[in-house]
Amino acid sequence: MSNKIEWPVTGMSCAACASSVENTLKKQVGVQSASVNFATHSALLQLEKEADPNAIQKAVRESGYDIIIEKMETSDLEKNQQQAYLKLKRNTIAAGILATPVFIIGMFLMDIPFANYIMWALTTPVLFVFGLQFFINAVRQAKHGKANMDTLVAVSTGVAYLYSTFTTFFPEWLTQRGITAHVYFEAAAVIVFFILLGRMLESGAKAGTGEALKKLMGLQPDELIVMENGKEIVKKTQKVSVGEFILVKPGQKIPLDGKIIDGHSYINESMLTGEPVPIAKQSGDQVFAGTINQNGSFQFQVEQAGDTTLLAQIIQKIKEAQGSKAPVQKLVDKITAIFVPIVISIGILAFLVWGLSGIEDAWLHGMLAFVTVLVIACPCALGLATPTAIMAGIGKGASMGMLIKDAESLEVGHKVDTIVLDKTGTITEGKPTVEDIQLAPQLIASEKEMGVLLAMESQSEHPLADAVVQHLKANFNKADLANFQSHTGNGVSAQFEGNYYAVGKKDWLKTQGATGKDWMKDFESHHLNQGHIVIYWAKNQEIIGVIAMADSIKENSKSAIKELMEMGMEVHMLTGDQEKTAQAMAQNVGIQHYQSGMLPTDKAGYIKALQKNGKTVAMIGDGINDSEALALADLSIAMGKGTDIAMDVAKVTLIHSDLAQVPQMLSLTRKTVKTIRQNLFWAFIYNIIGIPLAAGVLYPAFGFLLNPMIAGGAMALSSVSVVSNSLRLKR
């Protein structure tokens, strides 16, 4: 047995830190898998029974970071995050106030009395009070033989500060050796300010990528009214257990899942169904957390509490999806793992080349190049490029009623060129009704036989069977069956009073030895031509009844299929129905490619055949009989009102069960992948252009040398621009 758990991670400043923590976690005993998300500062772990959280925490701490294993209330976690953000904001403002006069003096007023001493006094607190965290983290990493983005900040600003301090207090030592006694306090102070400013803006922007999740979490009230011995007692929602009785008043949100035991009301379940019209609920009906009570007041008994409510499970799936990594992120992780050591090497090389160049103030130029290279590589735009886009994309999907299970689904979705649709419950409502029943002449008015049919269909999970039950249950009583069996994709069978009965497809009944008679031909032909579904009922070796059913097409199915085709998709329909029924349905909704009489294995084989022909296939279904095909498809999409098995298998669940969401989802995957590519392009191009410029490659030809302060401002903007680009997905 293993369980999934999410722990907050602290001390990370870049994607390389996330890779380091992830590698540490994966090496621990009992950790089956670990994924660390730099954007959310969290780790998602799959733990085995023998995993020791304290040992895992100790290992992470020894690697220079920390992980919070104690269970925290969401509100406490948000409070801590808010406090950390406010501290960062205070440090940024204070650093800015002190860095501004340093910049003015350093750039324009160098000749005023005691200029260097004033700048030293103002810069020292900027680095070692408001920017102290950079140095602490750098030392912590150095103890473990590692380096991260904080190392770059600490080394670059530290070198500039130490050199400038030495120059301020011992200027004659330099001038006696023919070296101009310049100071670079303004560079050190402004760089720290810009980096703090960048992280503050980045932090605020990243919070926006998780807004959809916060909105979902906000659907559950923090407090509720528990009824105990006739008294109303207010409790925290997290403290309530299964079996307790909850009072819900008009206008209140329903806090947990359960069953109404007293009262009635209209409840808005649009969060789950997409249907804006409130639904009437009374004693015995289910209610769900996050839905909204309208007019009435009622009591319900809690059946699911804590992390087991439907809302909690949806939230958990979204969190897992937002924390998952797209395949492209694996390449980025490999690059970021070696990025910092490479940057430091380039900085040292630039320092040596400049120092040995023989030009005037060569070593000073070398030091400036070293500082600038380290500063311009500080931004972690690379680390933010993919996770922020994934968070925003999955969050946007959740707000539109699409539950996307992982980042890979988003990346695969933009490649899809073929859509395969199940018919019943996907294109149609999945709520068929019986239009007519034709019985063999000898069975007319046989209550016993009809009781057999009712009992057989009552034990089937197929929506067609439910339609038969609804049609018969008011007038007949169930017979007492023996040896009931469900034959997936074909029908059901049972024994009654020594006779063998079967209900299902005509072809399958033939394999059971049952054949039809002339009495059913006209009835059968008439309804098939109408596009109705026709199933057959057999007793021993003879068909004794034919049942015609109609399943209405969903309101948006036809327009959704048209939109998919306009997007360049090839749309197919698979159904277990007869050829004429399938043909009529395909014509009605405008599908050219369809297959009838499909068993579950046939659907899976059809998906394989499409893939073999080079197609990237998205399968959309809702039933157990679609599960195998869903598992094989490149992208699997389940209808939210379908079976649990289909939703477990599928990578995407359309909560509102509306086919119109499919083109929206595919459009979202395209936008998300496009955003990831844009982010990665700008992150890479920034470093590819910025680092050589910082090293001074243009100086020999054009005399251009990048100022460290400009590098600091540019790197702060790069991270902010990447996160802002991801936020465009929310529109």
Side-chain angles (χ1 to χ4, degrees):
M1 282 292 289
S2 63
N3 67 304
K4 283 184 179 177
I5 192 162
E6 185 183 19
W7 285 330
V9 180
T10 61
M12 296 193 299
S13 61
C14 61
C17 301
S19 295
S20 179
V21 175
E22 190 172 293
N23 289 332
T24 302
L25 290 170
K26 285 178 178 175
K27 291 175 185 173
Q28 304 311 305
V29 176
V31 176
Q32 193 177 73
S33 65
S35 176
V36 176
N37 189 319
F38 173 58
T40 58
H41 281 235
S42 63
L44 184 65
L45 297 100
Q46 186 96 27
L47 299 179
E48 301 285 358
K49 205 173 179 181
E50 61 270 25
D52 181 355
N54 291 316
I56 294 171
Q57 186 184 46
K58 185 182 177 186
V60 173
R61 285 177 174 173
E62 287 176 350
S63 70
Y65 306 94
D66 200 359
I67 194 163
I68 301 172
I69 60 172
E70 294 79 16
K71 189 169 176 60
M72 294 181 71
E73 296 288 342
T74 304
S75 56
D76 292 337
L77 198 58
E78 288 180 353
K79 190 177 176 183
N80 287 349
Q81 290 172 345
Q82 182 65 15
Q83 286 175 346
Y85 174 75
L86 292 175
K87 183 182 178 183
L88 176 61
K89 189 176 180 180
R90 285 196 299 271
N91 285 345
T92 304
I93 293 171
I97 291 171
L98 295 181
T100 302
V102 176
F103 171 76
I104 294 170
I105 295 171
M107 298 302 292
F108 309 111
L109 304 173
M110 279 296 293
D111 296 329
I112 65 171
F114 308 108
N116 286 359
Y117 294 101
I118 295 171
M119 288 193 289
W120 173 80
L122 294 173
T123 302
T124 300
V126 172
L127 264 66
F128 303 115
V129 176
F130 308 116
L132 181 62
Q133 198 61 37
F134 297 123
F135 295 90
I136 292 174
N137 288 338
V139 171
R140 194 178 289 160
Q141 291 297 307
K143 284 181 180 176
H144 299 90
K146 297 177 181 176
N148 62 9
M149 293 296 173
D150 287 332
T151 307
L152 299 183
V153 179
V155 172
S156 59
T157 58
V159 167
Y161 176 83
L162 287 176
Y163 176 81
S164 302
T165 302
F166 184 84
T167 302
T168 300
F169 292 100
F170 307 102
E172 63 281 357
W173 191 91
L174 293 169
T175 53
Q176 286 171 2
R177 288 163 177 77
I179 300 174
T180 307
H182 283 305
V183 295
Y184 299 97
F185 287 123
E186 78 281 5
V190 171
I191 286 168
V192 168
F193 166 62
F194 274 147
I195 292 171
L196 288 171
L197 179 65
R199 288 192 178 178
M200 187 188 80
L201 295 174
E202 176 190 309
S203 180
K206 277 196 300 186
T209 62
E211 272 184 9
L213 192 58
K214 286 182 181 175
K215 283 181 182 173
L216 273 179
M217 294 168 78
L219 291 175
Q220 188 178 43
D222 293 331
E223 294 182 336
L224 46 71
I225 302 171
V226 177
M227 298 301 296
E228 288 184 7
N229 301 321
K231 294 182 179 177
E232 297 181 11
I233 300 173
V234 177
K235 275 189 178 181
K236 288 281 186 184
T237 304
Q238 295 298 326
K239 304 290 183 186
V240 175
S241 306
V242 172
E244 293 193 71
F245 297 94
I246 310 299
L247 174 65
V248 182
K249 295 181 178 178
Q252 288 184 335
K253 293 174 184 171
I254 295 169
L256 299 165
D257 294 356
K259 187 178 287 185
I260 295 177
I261 57 163
D262 186 29
H264 56 85
S265 183
Y266 284 86
I267 295 176
N268 185 335
E269 293 188 338
S270 60
M271 181 272 290
L272 295 174
T273 64
E275 174 56 59
V277 179
I279 301 168
K281 297 269 185 173
Q282 57 187 2
S283 182
D285 288 340
Q286 292 283 334
V287 292
F288 299 96
T291 56
I292 302 170
N293 181 31
Q294 299 286 306
N295 301 320
S297 178
F298 62 89
Q299 288 185 39
F300 73 94
Q301 186 171 24
V302 178
E303 293 183 336
Q304 301 291 339
D307 296 336
T308 61
T309 65
L310 184 59
L311 177 63
Q313 290 176 32
I314 290 173
I315 290 170
Q316 183 58 31
K317 285 181 179 176
I318 293 172
K319 288 172 80 172
E320 289 176 11
Q322 289 187 328
S324 64
K325 291 186 178 180
V328 69
Q329 182 64 26
K330 293 173 184 172
L331 172 64
V332 176
D333 285 350
K334 288 180 181 175
I335 294 172
T336 53
I338 58 173
F339 185 70
V340 173
I342 288 177
V343 167
I344 292 175
S345 301
I346 293 173
I348 293 172
L349 181 63
F351 174 71
L352 292 174
V353 169
W354 275 102
L356 299 172
S357 65
I359 66 171
E360 187 180 354
D361 293 337
W363 291 105
L364 276 178
H365 280 94
M367 186 195 71
L368 280 178
F370 175 73
V371 170
T372 311
V373 167
L374 265 55
V375 168
I376 204 160
C378 283
C380 212
L382 271 178
L384 293 168
T386 304
T388 52
I390 294 295
M391 283 181 67
I394 289 176
K396 176 69 176 177
S399 68
M400 296 165 71
M402 307 166 198
L403 203 53
I404 302 169
K405 282 188 181 174
D406 56 32
E408 188 175 358
S409 302
L410 283 173
E411 198 159 325
V412 171
H414 90 285
K415 299 177 185 172
V416 168
D417 54 21
T418 304
I419 302 287
V420 177
L421 300 169
D422 167 52
K423 184 183 77 70
T424 304
T426 302
I427 297 175
T428 66
E429 294 285 356
K431 296 177 181 174
T433 54
V434 173
E435 293 288 305
D436 200 359
I437 297 179
Q438 177 76 47
L439 299 175
Q442 69 271 23
L443 284 185
I444 294 175
S446 173
E447 290 192 13
K448 184 189 287 185
E449 302 283 4
M450 298 305 285
V452 172
L453 177 61
L454 174 61
M456 291 176 72
E457 295 293 67
S458 295
Q459 295 185 50
S460 172
E461 294 180 344
H462 200 282
L464 294 180
D466 185 59
V468 176
V469 172
Q470 297 303 321
H471 186 74
L472 298 180
K473 68 179 184 182
N475 300 315
F476 301 98
N477 296 317
K478 295 178 190 174
D480 189 12
L481 303 176
N483 298 327
F484 174 85
Q485 289 186 18
S486 176
H487 307 268
T488 305
N490 286 312
V492 295
S493 64
Q495 298 276 348
F496 179 72
E497 293 184 346
N499 293 306
Y500 174 79
Y501 290 87
V503 184
K505 292 180 179 177
K506 189 176 183 181
D507 291 343
W508 174 65
L509 292 179
K510 277 184 183 176
T511 65
Q512 306 296 302
T515 56
K517 301 290 183 183
D518 291 341
W519 58 264
M520 57 187 251
K521 287 183 178 176
D522 289 343
F523 179 89
E524 182 183 30
S525 177
H526 169 75
H527 286 285
L528 287 175
N529 288 333
Q530 294 291 316
H532 292 162
I533 305 161
V534 178
I535 63 171
Y536 300 83
W537 177 29
K539 178 181 180 182
N540 298 324
Q541 276 72 49
E542 185 180 352
I543 291 178
I544 58 173
V546 183
I547 306 163
M549 283 176 275
D551 187 8
S552 58
I553 298 170
K554 289 180 182 175
E555 184 181 356
N556 295 325
S557 292
K558 193 171 181 178
S559 59
I561 290 167
K562 184 182 176 186
E563 192 176 348
L564 286 169
M565 289 178 173
E566 289 173 350
M567 291 172 73
M569 301 287 165
E570 191 175 289
V571 181
H572 298 243
M573 182 186 78
L574 305 182
T575 175
D577 294 341
Q578 300 94 328
E579 167 66 18
K580 285 188 176 179
T581 306
Q583 185 182 37
M585 177 59 66
Q587 286 176 348
N588 278 338
V589 296
I591 292 177
Q592 295 176 343
H593 311 281
Y594 68 91
Q595 289 290 325
S596 61
M598 301 289 278
L599 295 172
T601 50
D602 297 329
K603 291 183 178 180
Y606 195 84
I607 299 291
K608 284 182 184 175
L610 288 171
Q611 289 171 326
K612 197 174 178 181
N613 289 329
K615 303 289 187 185
T616 304
V617 183
M619 170 73 196
I620 306 166
D622 72 324
I624 295 172
N625 60 339
D626 300 320
S627 301
E628 190 177 349
L630 286 169
L632 284 172
D634 298 287
L635 179 65
S636 47
I637 303 171
M639 291 294 179
K641 292 178 183 173
T643 61
D644 290 343
I645 293 176
M647 285 187 277
D648 285 345
V649 170
K651 293 292 182 67
V652 179
T653 298
L654 304 180
I655 296 173
H656 302 161
S657 293
D658 187 350
L659 209 54
Q661 289 180 295
V662 177
Q664 292 174 358
M665 194 215 66
L666 294 176
S667 177
L668 179 64
T669 64
R670 291 177 178 181
K671 287 180 183 175
T672 304
V673 171
K674 186 179 176 183
T675 302
I676 290 173
R677 288 176 176 171
Q678 288 171 343
N679 287 349
L680 288 176
F681 171 79
W682 287 112
F684 274 113
I685 205 72
Y686 170 83
N687 284 291
I688 289 170
I689 295 175
I691 291 175
L693 281 180
V697 293
L698 295 182
Y699 188 81
F702 305 101
F704 175 77
L705 194 59
L706 190 63
N707 188 308
M709 289 186 295
I710 303 297
M715 70 78 191
L717 284 174
S718 70
S719 288
V720 175
S721 63
V722 162
V723 178
S724 300
N725 192 39
S726 296
L727 285 175
R728 293 191 305 122
L729 287 168
K730 292 171 59 183
R731 295 174 188 165

